[in-house]
Amino acid sequence: MNIQKGGMDTNPPVKAEAQTSTTEQDAARSSRRMAFAEQELRLISALVLLLGIGLLLALPFVLTIGSVVFLPLVTALLLSILLSPLADKLSAHGVPNILASLGALTFFFAIVVLALALVLQPAVAMFDNVPAMTERAGERFVQLRDQFSWLAMANRELAALMGQSDPREVVLASPSVLEQLAFATPSVLLEVLLTLLMAFFMIQSRVKLRRRLLFDRTSSSASVKAAQVMREVQDRVAAYILTVGWINAGVGVVVATGAWLMGVEAPVMWGGLAAILNFLPYIGPLVMTGLLTLFGIGTADTVLLGLVPAAAYLALHTVESNVITPSILGARFTMNPVFILIALSYFSWIWGVFGALLSVPILLTLTAFFDHVGKPNLVGFIFGEPLFRTNLMALGLDDEHKAPA
């Protein structure tokens, strides 16, 4: 009995030690496997980051060379995101899909033509007065220059003391405005036609695209993620453009009313121009201020009176950009001004004015996409953190642990 008791007393610790040793070995293997997986993930992330930087640097040259193809494609994609909700509402009321797509695109095209007509028609009528206004503005600037002529004299005396001679000016012959328009018109018409056709087919095939995104995935979680991304991108971009459009229309109405009260010629044109340029963050209001300044100085009796329209517009823009727009858009559409300026300069460099108009919608689309997929942690990656905040390896291990259960 004592021997049996002694045996019974000594066997369990041996088994416990064996189990502890096995557990420690499993933990060591697991930690080595996790360390190797993290190193492999970091190497892959570094390669992805380098490829992304290379793509970002090479993309402008590719998009610039192929602007005839890529610019209509991107514009049509944004139009399909914007107009798909309208086509869905028309389809919900019993309108066939083809007619609903055509009706949504026609509605947008009519608004654009109306806005351009409000601006271009008075501008063409005012075109005859441009030489007189330019001459008068030149006289005003000559008067201002005469008042500060002592600065020019001091500059010339300083240049003479330093032994500098007057530089020679080389004037290169350039094509006239009419020649530039004649060369650009066929290309612009081709791109507009291509954009409308691609937008129509994208809007028409929106139902098939949604079905492929939802039902062609291998897992239900991927289908849910695809549905969330598609809905968020469409809702955010469409809501942003529509909301900003209404705000800019209100700005145009206020500018047109103010121009009419001040007796400025063609107030409707100035209102439409203010509404269109307000779609360009920072750059549009600066251009509008410059145009109002030149027009005011060229038509008013004094320089101070000529600066009144530009000062009134600056006051309106200050209230609109700092009070009205943030209160209406809210935190959902708030974007970093640095990112806006980078996107504005980036796409302006690629596609000019059209790129500047598309920069904010493209930035908003990418922001909505990365909010669901995951934003790259660039700063943390430099200091050893994962490139993406979602630990993919941990998710894979969780799935493996859940699979046997």
Side-chain angles (χ1 to χ4, degrees), residues 26-100:
D26 292 340
R29 285 195 298 268
S30 178
S31 62
R32 288 195 298 269
R33 186 169 63 252
M34 285 298 300
F36 178 76
E38 289 179 357
Q39 293 177 358
E40 184 180 7
L41 180 61
R42 186 166 180 81
L43 178 60
I44 295 174
S45 300
L47 294 176
V48 170
L49 183 60
L50 292 176
L51 289 176
I53 294 174
L55 179 63
L56 185 65
L57 295 177
L59 196 60
F61 302 98
V62 177
L63 295 180
T64 301
I65 295 174
S67 61
V68 179
V69 176
F70 293 112
L71 180 57
L73 179 62
V74 175
T75 307
L77 181 61
L78 293 175
L79 286 178
S80 64
I81 295 174
L82 174 63
L83 299 177
S84 291
L86 179 58
D88 291 336
K89 291 182 179 180
L90 293 177
S91 298
H93 287 82
V95 181
N97 186 25
I98 296 179
L99 295 180

Side-chain angles (χ1 to χ4, degrees), residues 141 288-298 306-307 310:
F141 284 115
M288 185 66 187
T289 303
L291 292 176
L292 286 174
T293 301
L294 292 176
F295 179 81
I297 294 176
L307 294 176

